[in-house]
């Protein structure tokens, strides 16, 4: 079964999000996992070799968990959107049905419900709510000395 077929059955149950939105969230999830594992390996190397005491160490070290939080997935999605779409990130994601970090959570939990992803007992749908505002986090940054739209007062308009 192809990716389109597998995701097609999920989309049939919740058509708010396009195939591209699901692919984007899955890629964000992959990037979040990769970053977590890379950071864990760097931290292990930075600690250096551990002193040996008593029994010899086990040869096969346990790999750190690849589980990521909702917040980590949302931040990976932000980095991915900026890298892939730049200033067009917000309109592209909106066209796919992604208008907030809550939408990322909806897709993740749709994939959990379909059996395509696993969750831990600590994972909550609300972990994805209000992680950041899309327009602010994905929009253009004000030039030095300029105020962002959120800093503009109504009397300035």
């Amino acid at each position: 079964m192809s990716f389109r077929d597998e995701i097609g059955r999920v989309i049939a149950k919740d058509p708010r999000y396009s195939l591209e939105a699901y692919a984007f969230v899955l890629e964000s999830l992959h990037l979040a996992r990769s970053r977590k594992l890379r950071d864990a390996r760097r931290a292990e190397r930075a600690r250096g070799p551990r002193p040996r005491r008593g029994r010899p160490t086990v040869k096969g070290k346990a790999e750190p968990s690849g589980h990521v939080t909702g917040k980590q997935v949302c931040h990976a999605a932000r980095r991915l959107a900026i890298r892939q779409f730049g200033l067009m990130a917000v309109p592209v994601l909106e066209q796919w049905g992604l208008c907030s970090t809550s939408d990322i959570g909806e897709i993740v939990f749709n994939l959990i419900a379909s059996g395509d992803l696993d969750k831990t007992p600590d994972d909550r749908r609300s972990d994805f709510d209000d992680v950041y505002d899309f327009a602010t986090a994905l929009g253009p940054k004000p030039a030095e000395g300029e105020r962002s739209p959120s800093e503009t007062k109504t009397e300035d308009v």
Side-chain angles (χ1 to χ4, degrees):
M1 187 179 277
S2 72
F3 172 75
R4 280 185 187 273
D5 294 335
E6 289 181 30
I7 298 303
R9 64 185 165 77
V10 177
I11 293 172
K13 291 180 183 175
D14 184 356
R16 292 178 292 169
Y17 309 105
S18 69
L19 174 68
E20 292 84 2
Y22 279 89
F24 177 80
V25 170
L26 286 169
E27 187 172 356
S28 300
L29 179 64
H30 173 75
L31 290 174
R33 284 179 178 161
S34 296
R35 181 181 201 131
K36 179 182 179 183
L37 294 173
R38 183 184 67 235
D39 290 349
R41 285 191 298 272
R42 282 183 184 160
E44 183 68 28
R45 282 194 303 266
R47 278 184 242 143
R50 294 185 178 162
R52 294 183 182 202
R53 295 185 206 166
R55 297 186 304 184
T57 58
V58 177
K59 285 185 181 181
K61 294 180 184 177
E63 184 73 15
S65 166
H67 179 268
V68 291
T69 66
K71 187 178 274 191
Q72 288 170 318
V73 175
C74 290
H75 287 294
R78 179 184 173 276
R79 288 188 299 274
L80 180 61
I82 290 169
R83 184 172 66 222
Q84 285 189 341
F85 308 116
L87 296 176
M88 293 299 295
V90 172
V92 168
L93 295 178
E94 285 179 350
Q95 183 177 7
W96 296 344
L98 294 171
C99 301
S100 69
T101 58
S102 294
D103 290 321
I104 295 170
E106 289 290 330
I107 286 178
V108 167
F109 273 78
N110 284 348
L111 292 169
I112 289 168
S114 70
D116 293 307
L117 292 179
D118 295 325
K119 76 179 205 74
T120 67
D122 295 334
D123 292 329
R124 305 277 180 268
R125 171 56 201 79
S126 60
D127 296 343
F128 293 86
D129 293 342
D130 302 317
V131 175
Y132 54 79
D133 174 73
F134 265 36
T136 303
L138 300 174
K141 304 294 180 232
E144 194 169 318
E146 289 183 21
R147 291 189 298 188
S148 70
S150 62
E151 295 172 329
T152 305
K153 297 179 183 171
T154 53
E155 66 248 18
D156 291 344
V157 178

